[in-house]
Amino acid sequence: MHVLIPAAGSGSRMKAGRNKLLIELEGESLIFWTIKSVLSASLVSWVGIIGQPNDKQELLKSVKNFSNKIKWINGGDTRQKSVFNGLNSLPSTAEKVLIHDGARCLIGPDLINKCATELEQNDAVILATKVTDTIKIVDNRGYIKETPNRQNLWAAQTPQGFLVKRLRKAHEMAIEKNWTVTDDASLFEMLNWQVKIIEGNSANIKITSPLDLKIAKLFLKDF
Ligand code: C5P
């Protein structure tokens, strides 16, 4: 299985003044922990890391233990563009791909393998968890407009897995139609293509804020 790891964000919400994936926890960078986990999934055979050219040296240095197992890909100025660059850098033999955010360093190899296995039966799969909070849709002035039924609400995570041909087509359609999305499954939904949900776990957080770092530190102790 081929895996693309978008790692080209600026990390502005982390306020670290640099790519948040270079922040160290337990002596290694966040991107180190993500790649370590991805490479330890038995079904993974190829990993591409998508980063900003400015970060290339530092990112690759922090994952130098795995340097012979990963390929560097230049990212774009949005996650969507970064993933598209990644798709265009896959070997031509790649039929399926998992996209996994570099910022989700607490993913376990079992869930990566589960996504890869489910992709045998489906064109598109994503890891997600049932929402436990009651979610409000709020207007621009800060007043609640609506409360959707929690029964049907899931929080999307990564990995998200796809047939490469389909995902590339979806990204090309997005460019043509000027669609902007924050995950790849959204493109499938916009095209009315089915996406299967795989239940993940809530430890697979996306490291976004300084508080997330404290949580990640606790979980990493168990790795
Ligand atoms: O910004 P957000 O945390 O949602 O980004 C999710 C993932 O996408 C992160 O791992 C980040 O590094 C990556 N990303 C990217 N290219 C961008 C913006 C974000 O690869 N231009």
Side-chain angles (χ1 to χ4, degrees):
M1 176 62 60
H2 293 73
V3 182
L4 288 171
I5 303 193
S10 61
S12 51
R13 286 167 293 180
M14 183 63 78
K15 299 189 170 73
R18 60 179 178 157
N19 188 334
K20 66 185 172 189
L21 301 183
L22 291 164
I23 295 172
E24 290 194 358
L25 283 185
E26 302 297 302
E28 300 287 355
S29 64
L30 295 184
I31 192 67
F32 172 95
W33 293 114
T34 305
I35 299 227
K36 181 171 188 262
S37 200
V38 169
L39 282 170
S40 64
S42 56
L43 298 176
V44 170
S45 54
W46 185 101
V47 174
I49 171 171
I50 311 167
Q52 294 297 344
N54 283 347
D55 288 339
K56 182 174 179 178
Q57 214 182 352
E58 269 191 286
L59 279 173
L60 288 181
K61 191 173 157 217
S62 79
V63 295
K64 62 178 184 308
N65 291 12
F66 317 116
S67 56
N68 56 343
K69 297 186 184 134
I70 52 181
K71 179 185 160 67
W72 175 266
I73 299 158
N74 283 335
D77 57 6
T78 62
R79 183 187 181 282
Q80 192 174 332
K81 288 184 191 165
S82 293
V83 172
F84 189 58
N85 287 358
L87 289 175
N88 290 331
S89 306
L90 285 172
S92 56
T93 50
E95 286 177 12
K96 297 176 183 135
V97 65
L98 295 181
I99 316 287
H100 181 64
D101 286 337
R104 290 188 193 269
C105 60
L106 298 174
I107 186 71
D110 291 356
L111 282 176
I112 297 170
N113 279 338
K114 193 164 182 206
C115 291
T117 308
E118 291 277 340
L119 202 47
E120 297 296 325
Q121 322 291 335
N122 296 280
D123 290 358
V125 303
I126 75 164
L127 213 59
T129 53
K130 281 186 177 166
V131 164
T132 52
D133 291 325
T134 295
I135 303 291
K136 305 291 183 189
I137 296 176
V138 177
D139 68 19
N140 291 337
R141 300 170 309 132
Y143 290 89
I144 294 173
K145 282 209 300 201
E146 202 187 324
T147 304
N149 184 346
R150 196 169 67 187
Q151 198 89 30
N152 302 322
L153 290 179
W154 291 71
Q157 303 179 342
T158 66
Q160 301 196 347
F162 306 91
L163 296 188
V164 173
K165 269 191 195 155
R166 288 220 136 192
L167 185 58
R168 192 175 285 125
K169 177 82 195 156
H171 272 267
E172 284 164 0
M173 293 286 287
I175 293 168
E176 197 181 306
K177 299 198 180 288
N178 244 331
W179 292 339
T180 312
V181 293
T182 50
D183 77 345
D184 298 281
S186 299
L187 297 176
F188 270 55
E189 296 153 39
M190 288 159 106
L191 290 161
N192 279 321
W193 295 347
Q194 281 205 318
V195 181
K196 172 90 189 291
I197 292 276
I198 301 168
E199 186 154 14
N201 67 48
S202 39
N204 181 27
I205 56 171
K206 185 172 67 175
I207 310 291
T208 308
S209 67
L211 175 63
D212 295 332
L213 284 173
K214 292 190 180 164
I215 297 169
K217 197 164 181 220
L218 290 175
F219 279 108
L220 274 177
K221 286 202 180 13
D222 294 340
F223 270 37

